[in-house]
PDB file of all heavy atoms in Angstrom:
ATOM      1  N   TYR I  67      12.950  43.325 -17.700  1.00  0.00           N
ATOM      2  CA  TYR I  67      12.827  42.132 -16.855  1.00  0.00           C
ATOM      3  C   TYR I  67      11.714  42.302 -15.807  1.00  0.00           C
ATOM      4  O   TYR I  67      11.660  43.438 -15.248  1.00  0.00           O
ATOM      5  CB  TYR I  67      14.116  41.809 -16.115  1.00  0.00           C
ATOM      6  CG  TYR I  67      14.033  40.552 -15.304  1.00  0.00           C
ATOM      7  CD1 TYR I  67      14.151  39.274 -15.886  1.00  0.00           C
ATOM      8  CD2 TYR I  67      13.982  40.673 -13.885  1.00  0.00           C
ATOM      9  CE1 TYR I  67      14.069  38.149 -15.057  1.00  0.00           C
ATOM     10  CE2 TYR I  67      13.870  39.524 -13.135  1.00  0.00           C
ATOM     11  CZ  TYR I  67      13.985  38.276 -13.759  1.00  0.00           C
ATOM     12  OH  TYR I  67      13.954  37.140 -12.909  1.00  0.00           O
ATOM     13  N   PHE I  68      10.798  41.390 -15.707  1.00  0.00           N
ATOM     14  CA  PHE I  68       9.782  41.496 -14.674  1.00  0.00           C
ATOM     15  C   PHE I  68      10.224  40.571 -13.466  1.00  0.00           C
ATOM     16  O   PHE I  68      10.540  39.424 -13.665  1.00  0.00           O
ATOM     17  CB  PHE I  68       8.489  40.953 -15.198  1.00  0.00           C
ATOM     18  CG  PHE I  68       7.819  41.823 -16.162  1.00  0.00           C
ATOM     19  CD1 PHE I  68       8.229  41.973 -17.459  1.00  0.00           C
ATOM     20  CD2 PHE I  68       6.653  42.592 -15.763  1.00  0.00           C
ATOM     21  CE1 PHE I  68       7.573  42.825 -18.349  1.00  0.00           C
ATOM     22  CE2 PHE I  68       6.101  43.476 -16.710  1.00  0.00           C
ATOM     23  CZ  PHE I  68       6.495  43.590 -17.982  1.00  0.00           C
ATOM     24  N   GLY I  69      10.228  41.192 -12.288  1.00  0.00           N
ATOM     25  CA  GLY I  69      10.691  40.409 -11.090  1.00  0.00           C
ATOM     26  C   GLY I  69      10.296  41.217  -9.813  1.00  0.00           C
ATOM     27  O   GLY I  69       9.439  42.030  -9.834  1.00  0.00           O
ATOM     28  N   TYR I  70      10.934  40.857  -8.745  1.00  0.00           N
ATOM     29  CA  TYR I  70      10.662  41.605  -7.530  1.00  0.00           C
ATOM     30  C   TYR I  70      11.858  41.599  -6.591  1.00  0.00           C
ATOM     31  O   TYR I  70      12.697  40.682  -6.629  1.00  0.00           O
ATOM     32  CB  TYR I  70       9.410  41.013  -6.848  1.00  0.00           C
ATOM     33  CG  TYR I  70       9.578  39.590  -6.298  1.00  0.00           C
ATOM     34  CD1 TYR I  70       9.443  39.332  -4.940  1.00  0.00           C
ATOM     35  CD2 TYR I  70       9.731  38.514  -7.144  1.00  0.00           C
ATOM     36  CE1 TYR I  70       9.572  38.007  -4.434  1.00  0.00           C
ATOM     37  CE2 TYR I  70       9.832  37.228  -6.645  1.00  0.00           C
ATOM     38  CZ  TYR I  70       9.773  36.987  -5.285  1.00  0.00           C
ATOM     39  OH  TYR I  70       9.794  35.727  -4.782  1.00  0.00           O
ATOM     40  N   THR I  71      11.979  42.696  -5.761  1.00  0.00           N
ATOM     41  CA  THR I  71      13.152  42.880  -4.993  1.00  0.00           C
ATOM     42  C   THR I  71      13.361  41.894  -3.861  1.00  0.00           C
ATOM     43  O   THR I  71      14.428  41.678  -3.377  1.00  0.00           O
ATOM     44  CB  THR I  71      13.129  44.297  -4.358  1.00  0.00           C
ATOM     45  OG1 THR I  71      12.184  44.394  -3.377  1.00  0.00           O
ATOM     46  CG2 THR I  71      12.919  45.342  -5.410  1.00  0.00           C
ATOM     47  N   TYR I  72      12.274  41.226  -3.437  1.00  0.00           N
ATOM     48  CA  TYR I  72      12.372  40.235  -2.349  1.00  0.00           C
ATOM     49  C   TYR I  72      12.731  38.854  -2.839  1.00  0.00           C
ATOM     50  O   TYR I  72      12.851  37.917  -2.109  1.00  0.00           O
ATOM     51  CB  TYR I  72      11.092  40.119  -1.564  1.00  0.00           C
ATOM     52  CG  TYR I  72      10.869  41.284  -0.595  1.00  0.00           C
ATOM     53  CD1 TYR I  72      10.402  42.564  -1.097  1.00  0.00           C
ATOM     54  CD2 TYR I  72      11.127  41.158   0.771  1.00  0.00           C
ATOM     55  CE1 TYR I  72      10.258  43.613  -0.252  1.00  0.00           C
ATOM     56  CE2 TYR I  72      10.903  42.278   1.644  1.00  0.00           C
ATOM     57  CZ  TYR I  72      10.505  43.509   1.119  1.00  0.00           C
ATOM     58  OH  TYR I  72      10.310  44.545   1.944  1.00  0.00           O
ATOM     59  N   CYS I  73      12.863  38.709  -4.194  1.00  0.00           N
ATOM     60  CA  CYS I  73      13.160  37.441  -4.795  1.00  0.00           C
ATOM     61  C   CYS I  73      14.630  37.014  -4.325  1.00  0.00           C
ATOM     62  O   CYS I  73      15.548  37.745  -4.405  1.00  0.00           O
ATOM     63  CB  CYS I  73      13.264  37.561  -6.361  1.00  0.00           C
ATOM     64  SG  CYS I  73      13.595  36.101  -7.211  1.00  0.00           S
ATOM     65  N   PRO I  74      14.675  35.809  -3.760  1.00  0.00           N
ATOM     66  CA  PRO I  74      15.888  35.367  -3.115  1.00  0.00           C
ATOM     67  C   PRO I  74      17.020  34.990  -4.111  1.00  0.00           C
ATOM     68  O   PRO I  74      18.138  35.102  -3.766  1.00  0.00           O
ATOM     69  CB  PRO I  74      15.525  34.160  -2.269  1.00  0.00           C
ATOM     70  CG  PRO I  74      14.357  33.594  -2.969  1.00  0.00           C
ATOM     71  CD  PRO I  74      13.586  34.805  -3.606  1.00  0.00           C
ATOM     72  N   ASP I  75      16.697  34.527  -5.308  1.00  0.00           N
ATOM     73  CA  ASP I  75      17.786  34.006  -6.153  1.00  0.00           C
ATOM     74  C   ASP I  75      17.726  34.469  -7.652  1.00  0.00           C
ATOM     75  O   ASP I  75      18.625  35.023  -8.178  1.00  0.00           O
ATOM     76  CB  ASP I  75      17.770  32.514  -6.069  1.00  0.00           C
ATOM     77  CG  ASP I  75      16.329  31.940  -6.031  1.00  0.00           C
ATOM     78  OD1 ASP I  75      15.451  32.538  -6.624  1.00  0.00           O
ATOM     79  OD2 ASP I  75      16.155  30.859  -5.403  1.00  0.00           O
ATOM     80  N   VAL I  76      16.636  34.132  -8.292  1.00  0.00           N
ATOM     81  CA  VAL I  76      16.528  34.231  -9.762  1.00  0.00           C
ATOM     82  C   VAL I  76      16.658  35.721 -10.194  1.00  0.00           C
ATOM     83  O   VAL I  76      17.444  36.032 -11.136  1.00  0.00           O
ATOM     84  CB  VAL I  76      15.247  33.603 -10.316  1.00  0.00           C
ATOM     85  CG1 VAL I  76      15.182  33.851 -11.833  1.00  0.00           C
ATOM     86  CG2 VAL I  76      15.301  32.147  -9.992  1.00  0.00           C
ATOM     87  N   CYS I  77      15.882  36.596  -9.543  1.00  0.00           N
ATOM     88  CA  CYS I  77      15.870  38.044  -9.977  1.00  0.00           C
ATOM     89  C   CYS I  77      17.308  38.701  -9.806  1.00  0.00           C
ATOM     90  O   CYS I  77      17.736  39.299 -10.743  1.00  0.00           O
ATOM     91  CB  CYS I  77      14.834  38.798  -9.250  1.00  0.00           C
ATOM     92  SG  CYS I  77      13.135  38.391  -9.697  1.00  0.00           S
ATOM     93  N   PRO I  78      17.903  38.488  -8.639  1.00  0.00           N
ATOM     94  CA  PRO I  78      19.276  39.108  -8.561  1.00  0.00           C
ATOM     95  C   PRO I  78      20.220  38.616  -9.628  1.00  0.00           C
ATOM     96  O   PRO I  78      21.036  39.342 -10.160  1.00  0.00           O
ATOM     97  CB  PRO I  78      19.711  38.662  -7.109  1.00  0.00           C
ATOM     98  CG  PRO I  78      18.465  38.427  -6.374  1.00  0.00           C
ATOM     99  CD  PRO I  78      17.449  37.913  -7.425  1.00  0.00           C
ATOM    100  N   SER I  80      19.348  37.408 -12.641  1.00  0.00           N
ATOM    101  CA  SER I  80      18.908  37.946 -13.971  1.00  0.00           C
ATOM    102  C   SER I  80      19.364  39.448 -14.109  1.00  0.00           C
ATOM    103  O   SER I  80      19.902  39.819 -15.151  1.00  0.00           O
ATOM    104  CB  SER I  80      17.458  37.895 -14.161  1.00  0.00           C
ATOM    105  OG  SER I  80      16.991  36.539 -14.037  1.00  0.00           O
ATOM    106  N   ILE I 106       6.651  42.744 -10.070  1.00  0.00           N
ATOM    107  CA  ILE I 106       5.330  42.001 -10.124  1.00  0.00           C
ATOM    108  C   ILE I 106       4.861  41.890  -8.713  1.00  0.00           C
ATOM    109  O   ILE I 106       4.014  41.013  -8.415  1.00  0.00           O
ATOM    110  CB  ILE I 106       5.474  40.606 -10.927  1.00  0.00           C
ATOM    111  CG1 ILE I 106       6.763  39.933 -10.611  1.00  0.00           C
ATOM    112  CG2 ILE I 106       5.405  40.866 -12.389  1.00  0.00           C
ATOM    113  CD1 ILE I 106       6.757  39.166  -9.318  1.00  0.00           C
ATOM    114  N   VAL I 162       6.988  35.003  -4.880  1.00  0.00           N
ATOM    115  CA  VAL I 162       6.159  35.160  -6.059  1.00  0.00           C
ATOM    116  C   VAL I 162       6.772  34.361  -7.207  1.00  0.00           C
ATOM    117  O   VAL I 162       7.950  34.614  -7.606  1.00  0.00           O
ATOM    118  CB  VAL I 162       6.031  36.689  -6.451  1.00  0.00           C
ATOM    119  CG1 VAL I 162       5.049  36.881  -7.568  1.00  0.00           C
ATOM    120  CG2 VAL I 162       5.639  37.572  -5.307  1.00  0.00           C
ATOM    121  N   ASP I 163       6.004  33.414  -7.674  1.00  0.00           N
ATOM    122  CA  ASP I 163       6.451  32.696  -8.868  1.00  0.00           C
ATOM    123  C   ASP I 163       6.293  33.622 -10.042  1.00  0.00           C
ATOM    124  O   ASP I 163       5.268  34.389 -10.158  1.00  0.00           O
ATOM    125  CB  ASP I 163       5.510  31.494  -9.195  1.00  0.00           C
ATOM    126  CG  ASP I 163       5.669  30.454  -8.045  1.00  0.00           C
ATOM    127  OD1 ASP I 163       6.727  30.376  -7.544  1.00  0.00           O
ATOM    128  OD2 ASP I 163       4.632  29.795  -7.765  1.00  0.00           O
ATOM    129  N   HIS I 164       7.216  33.587 -11.000  1.00  0.00           N
ATOM    130  CA  HIS I 164       7.115  34.479 -12.142  1.00  0.00           C
ATOM    131  C   HIS I 164       7.984  34.002 -13.351  1.00  0.00           C
ATOM    132  O   HIS I 164       8.930  33.275 -13.164  1.00  0.00           O
ATOM    133  CB  HIS I 164       7.461  35.913 -11.747  1.00  0.00           C
ATOM    134  CG  HIS I 164       8.922  36.070 -11.320  1.00  0.00           C
ATOM    135  ND1 HIS I 164       9.959  36.448 -12.157  1.00  0.00           N
ATOM    136  CD2 HIS I 164       9.510  35.934 -10.095  1.00  0.00           C
ATOM    137  CE1 HIS I 164      11.053  36.487 -11.513  1.00  0.00           C
ATOM    138  NE2 HIS I 164      10.858  36.168 -10.282  1.00  0.00           N
ATOM    139  N   SER I 165       7.554  34.522 -14.498  1.00  0.00           N
ATOM    140  CA  SER I 165       8.343  34.200 -15.676  1.00  0.00           C
ATOM    141  C   SER I 165       9.673  34.941 -15.545  1.00  0.00           C
ATOM    142  O   SER I 165       9.794  35.909 -14.855  1.00  0.00           O
ATOM    143  CB  SER I 165       7.688  34.801 -16.948  1.00  0.00           C
ATOM    144  OG  SER I 165       6.334  34.473 -16.976  1.00  0.00           O
ATOM    145  N   THR I 166      10.715  34.394 -16.237  1.00  0.00           N
ATOM    146  CA  THR I 166      12.005  34.943 -16.010  1.00  0.00           C
ATOM    147  C   THR I 166      12.727  35.436 -17.327  1.00  0.00           C
ATOM    148  O   THR I 166      13.898  35.524 -17.434  1.00  0.00           O
ATOM    149  CB  THR I 166      12.970  33.877 -15.372  1.00  0.00           C
ATOM    150  OG1 THR I 166      12.895  32.705 -16.156  1.00  0.00           O
ATOM    151  CG2 THR I 166      12.436  33.600 -13.946  1.00  0.00           C
TER     152      THR I 166
HETATM  153 NI1   NI J 301      12.538  36.323  -9.014  1.00  0.00          NI
END
Side-chain angles (χ1 to χ4, degrees):
Y67 181 77
F68 287 76
Y70 67 115
T71 68
Y72 285 76
C73 182
D75 39 32
V76 175
C77 290
S80 299
I106 41 79
V162 186
D163 295 328
H164 63 94
S165 314
T166 53

